[in-house]
Amino acid sequence: MKKAIFWFRRDLRLEDNTALFHCLNDFDLVIPVFIFDKNILEKLPRSDRRVEFIWHCIQHVKNKLNDSGSDLIVIHDYPDQIIKLAKEHQVDAVYCTEDYEPDAISRDQFIGEELYKNNIQFRHFKDTVIFAKKEILNQQGLPYHVFTPYKNTWRAKLHVSNFNHYPSEDQLGKMAKLESSTLIKLEDLGFEKTGIADKKIVAANHAHELFAAFKADKVRQYKENRDFPGISGTSFLSTHFRFGTISIRKVVREILELSDVSEGRFREGCDTWLNEIIWRDFYFQIMFNDPHVVQSSFKPQYQHFPWLTDAELFKSWCQGQTGYPLVDAAMVQLNTLGYMHNRLRMLTASFLTKIMLIDYKMGEQYFAEKLLDYDLAANNGGWQWSASTGCDAQPYFRIFNPMTQSKKFDGEGLFIKKYLPIFADVPTKYLHAPWEYQKELHALGITLGKDYPRPVVDYAEARKSTLICFDEFLKNTPKSE
Ligand SMILES: Cc1cc2nc3c(=O)[nH]c(=O)nc-3n(C[C@H](O)[C@H](O)[C@H](O)COP(=O)(O)OP(=O)(O)OC[C@H]3O[C@@H](n4cnc5c(N)ncnc54)[C@H](O)[C@@H]3O)c2cc1C
C-alpha cells in the first residue's frame, strides 16, 4: 500500500486543492498534517488575530475530516518534525502546496533534501496563484517589472487549464482512518483570544459566503464603489486568499463565467476585479524573481535614501493620532479589525513615507503585524509602490493630499464617523480639515489638541520638503546604484 503525508500550509481547505488532489490520486492512503510552526509563532505577540484565524481554519478542516472518518494530525513544533513524522509513518512521499516566500523556499529545500536522504519524495504543487514563478515572461524571456504588459500577457496566456477544478473533496475516503482528537487549545499554543471569530468579514469559514455575495451583487458596482471606504464595495476575500480557505482558481473560473454571460456594469466589475487578482500574481512573481525586495528597495538607487525614523511621529501614525481624520480613521480600522481598505492603505502609506518621510520598512512592518490578510508579496509591493522605491511604483512627486482624498473618497464622512466616533455628530464639511474649523468644533464640544489631535505635520510644508529631499537625492545618486 502506497502511503503519503499531505502537509497543509497556506491552503487550508479540502476542496479544489491541487496538491491534495494529486496526493489522493497518487497514493492509496493519505495522512493529513498541519504544523503550528514555532519558528513563526515564537516571534508573534501573545494576542495575534492571524493565529486565531488559522486556529479556526484548522478546526474547520479537522471537523470535515472527522466527518469522513479521518482526522488532522496537528503538531506544535518546528517544521522539520515533518521529516520525523514521515519516517515514523513510513510514507513514500510528502505532498504540499508550493510556497514562494524566500524563507519558505529555504525551509522546503532543507526538508526536501532530508526526506530525499530517506528515500521519501517531497513534491509541491502550484495552488496559491494562477501563474507562478517564471510562467509569465516578456519577449526577452525575462520577468516583467511593469504591471500593464504583465497583465496583458497574463490574460493572453490564460487557458481553461489554468483554472481547472481539482476535485480533492471527492476522494476524502482515501484519508487515513484516524480517531478524532481534540485540537490543541489556542491558550496552549501560548495565545489569547482576540475575538476575531465574531467579525463576520474575516471569520474563518465565510469565504464561500463572501464570494457568493460578491458575485450576486457587489461585483455590479465594484468598479465605481471599490475606492470608497465608507461603502462595503469590495470582496473582503484577501484573508481567505492568504490562507487558502477558498480556491483562487474557483474565483477566477466563476468570475470569467459570470463575465461571459453579463454585460454592462456587471461585466466591467468582473473585469476590474480580475485585474486585482492579476496584481496579486504580479507581486508574487516579483518576490520570487527579485527576492531582494524583501530586504531592500526594488530600485537599487533608493538603497541609501535618507528616510527618517522619528519615533514620536511614527507612534502618532500607528495610533491614528495624526490629526488628519481619514488617515486616523484608517489606522483605527487596521488596529481594531486587522483590515484596511485598499484606498486607505495607499493613503496611509503615502502619508507615512511622503508626508512624514518615514522609512517605508517601518510602515511595512507595522502592517505585517496588524493585517489579518498580511501577505509578504502584496504588502511589500504595496509599500514600495507608495514609497516610489518599487517596480512600476508611483512617481516620487505623486503625493496623496489627505484633505482631497478625504473629500473625494469619504465626502459624507461615513468612514470617518464610523471609526472616529468623536466626529459622529459633526457636520461633514468640518471633517476633512478640522483645524480650519476650530471655533465651530469647540462650540460642538470638541477641542483640538485635547479631544482630537492638531495636525502633527503641516501637509503643505512637508510636501515641499519631501520633494526637495527626493530631487536632491536623485540628482546625486546614479540610477545604477
Ligand atoms: C501599502 C499596501 C499594503 C498592502 N498589503 C496587503 C497585504 O498584506 N495582503 C494583501 O492581500 N493585500 C495587500 N494590499 C493590497 C490590497 O489593499 C488588499 O488586497 C485589498 O484591500 C483587500 O481587500 P479585498 O479582498 O476586499 O479586495 P478586492 O478589491 O475585493 O480585491 C480582490 C483581491 O485582489 C487582490 N488585490 C487587490 N488589490 C491588490 C493589490 N494592490 N495588490 C495585490 N493584490 C491585490 C487581493 O487578493 C484581493 O482580495 C496592500 C496594498 C497596499 C497599498
Side-chain angles (χ1 to χ4, degrees):
M1 181 177 268
K2 281 171 67 196
K3 276 198 281 187
I5 281 180
F6 183 74
W7 184 11
F8 284 96
R9 289 130 50 121
R10 49 178 298 167
D11 54 349
L12 304 179
R13 66 180 193 285
L14 294 169
E15 71 287 348
D16 193 8
N17 181 323
T18 324
L20 180 59
F21 171 82
H22 286 294
C23 194
L24 290 163
N25 247 2
D26 294 352
F27 296 91
D28 305 307
L29 195 78
V30 171
I31 302 166
V33 175
F34 178 80
I35 300 176
F36 276 107
D37 182 346
K38 284 190 174 175
N39 281 330
I40 299 172
L41 298 193
E42 280 166 359
K43 293 184 198 131
L44 300 176
R46 296 305 87 195
S47 171
D48 189 285
R49 296 187 187 98
R50 267 161 308 188
V51 178
E52 193 173 350
F53 182 84
I54 295 172
W55 187 90
H56 282 286
C57 296
I58 294 303
Q59 181 70 74
H60 189 65
V61 168
K62 209 166 159 39
N63 290 346
K64 282 193 159 179
L65 283 168
N66 290 161
D67 292 345
S68 50
S70 186
D71 196 21
L72 182 63
I73 298 179
V74 178
I75 296 168
H76 177 211
D77 211 318
Y78 297 99
D80 58 2
Q81 286 301 305
I82 202 78
I83 304 163
K84 189 168 158 229
L85 208 64
K87 288 199 263 181
E88 265 171 27
H89 286 274
Q90 299 181 339
V91 297
D92 303 286
V94 173
Y95 275 31
C96 59
T97 287
E98 204 162 57
D99 196 327
Y100 310 104
E101 295 189 4
D103 285 351
I105 292 173
S106 314
R107 173 200 66 201
D108 287 349
Q109 189 157 356
F110 168 77
I111 286 172
E113 283 163 11
E114 292 302 307
L115 288 172
Y116 184 73
K117 284 182 201 158
N118 289 281
N119 277 329
I120 300 170
Q121 282 185 63
F122 186 44
R123 292 193 66 193
H124 323 168
F125 295 81
K126 177 178 71 172
D127 185 78
T128 308
V129 289
I130 298 294
F131 289 111
K133 297 178 175 179
K134 294 187 190 300
E135 285 185 286
I136 302 289
L137 296 175
N138 65 20
Q139 286 185 340
Q140 288 74 48
L142 298 169
Y144 283 101
H145 290 161
V146 178
F147 177 70
T148 305
Y150 172 86
K151 176 193 74 183
N152 294 341
T153 307
W154 191 104
R155 283 189 177 253
K157 211 177 158 187
L158 190 67
H159 177 263
V160 283
S161 60
N162 298 118
F163 44 85
N164 264 347
H165 176 88
Y166 288 94
S168 40
E169 65 279 12
D170 291 349
Q171 301 193 59
L172 298 182
K174 277 192 175 179
M175 289 290 194
K177 298 288 165 234
L178 298 169
E179 216 166 286
S180 91
S181 57
T182 310
L183 176 60
I184 178 171
K185 288 195 183 117
L186 194 64
E187 294 77 10
D188 295 336
L189 290 169
F191 290 87
E192 299 159 5
K193 287 206 171 96
T194 64
I196 199 65
D198 309 330
K199 310 262 189 242
K200 201 165 175 203
I201 63 160
V202 285
N205 55 358
H206 279 303
H208 292 269
E209 217 178 282
L210 285 174
F211 184 52
F214 183 72
K215 271 199 323 175
D217 186 32
K218 278 187 184 184
V219 69
R220 184 166 44 92
Q221 285 184 298
Y222 179 72
K223 192 170 175 215
E224 295 82 19
N225 286 349
R226 72 195 178 112
D227 270 322
F228 295 89
I231 299 175
S232 172
T234 65
S235 70
F236 296 107
L237 280 168
S238 48
T239 305
H240 296 287
F241 292 142
R242 169 64 185 86
F243 296 107
T245 44
I246 192 165
S247 155
I248 195 77
R249 291 179 308 283
K250 172 190 161 79
V251 303
V252 167
R253 190 167 59 237
E254 294 189 13
I255 279 294
L256 287 170
E257 280 165 11
L258 183 62
S259 173
D260 277 351
V261 296
S262 314
E263 35 187 58
R265 283 154 119 203
F266 247 109
R267 201 181 185 127
E268 272 177 12
C270 292
D271 202 51
T272 310
W273 197 70
L274 190 60
N275 278 351
E276 300 306 317
I277 300 292
I278 304 176
W279 268 108
R280 183 174 174 272
D281 271 15
F282 177 70
Y283 283 137
F284 266 105
Q285 63 95 33
I286 291 286
M287 181 181 63
F288 181 79
N289 292 307
D290 293 282
H292 74 275
V293 294
V294 174
Q295 311 299 341
S296 54
S297 51
F298 175 87
K299 291 182 188 150
Q301 194 181 13
Y302 282 99
Q303 196 86 305
H304 303 294
F305 186 80
W307 297 112
L308 306 179
T309 52
D310 189 310
E312 275 306 301
L313 273 188
F314 183 59
K315 192 169 154 204
S316 70
W317 178 84
C318 295
Q319 295 182 342
Q321 293 283 317
T322 66
Y324 289 83
L326 190 57
V327 172
D328 292 343
M331 295 308 288
V332 174
Q333 184 184 40
L334 175 68
N335 292 332
T336 53
L337 202 59
Y339 178 84
M340 193 194 284
H341 188 277
N342 182 57
R343 164 96 359 222
L344 303 179
R345 294 188 206 207
M346 294 193 289
L347 173 64
T348 53
S350 173
F351 194 87
L352 187 77
T353 56
K354 302 278 181 71
I355 304 300
M356 295 182 158
L357 208 63
I358 288 182
D359 193 342
Y360 76 85
K361 290 197 206 73
M362 291 168 67
E364 182 189 359
Q365 181 53 35
Y366 191 74
F367 271 27
E369 281 163 26
K370 298 286 173 187
L371 281 174
L372 195 52
D373 66 19
Y374 166 60
D375 195 285
L376 179 57
N379 193 45
N380 182 273
W383 274 96
Q384 295 222 35
W385 180 87
S386 305
S388 302
T389 61
C391 64
D392 205 8
Q394 66 170 342
Y396 74 89
F397 47 82
R398 174 128 194 263
I399 298 178
F400 282 29
N401 176 324
M403 290 74 78
T404 313
Q405 293 282 311
S406 188
K407 281 183 200 150
K408 190 164 171 196
F409 298 111
D410 195 30
E412 296 303 311
L414 290 176
F415 187 84
I416 293 174
K417 290 182 179 211
K418 180 167 178 192
Y419 287 98
L420 299 180
I422 190 165
F423 290 125
D425 299 319
V426 165
T428 311
K429 78 171 196 187
Y430 306 161
L431 295 179
H432 309 297
W435 56 92
E436 290 175 4
Y437 300 96
Q438 298 208 41
K439 247 200 271 157
E440 292 85 343
L441 286 170
H442 193 71
L444 292 168
I446 300 173
T447 306
L448 290 197
K450 178 170 154 267
D451 304 310
Y452 181 71
R454 289 202 176 85
V456 290
V457 280
D458 178 272
Y459 166 74
E461 275 174 26
R463 180 175 185 280
K464 228 186 276 165
S465 38
T466 294
L467 289 176
I468 294 171
C469 181
F470 269 87
D471 281 339
E472 287 293 310
F473 176 78
L474 292 173
K475 211 163 46 191
N476 298 316
T477 317
K479 263 199 168 163
S480 57
E481 218 181 83

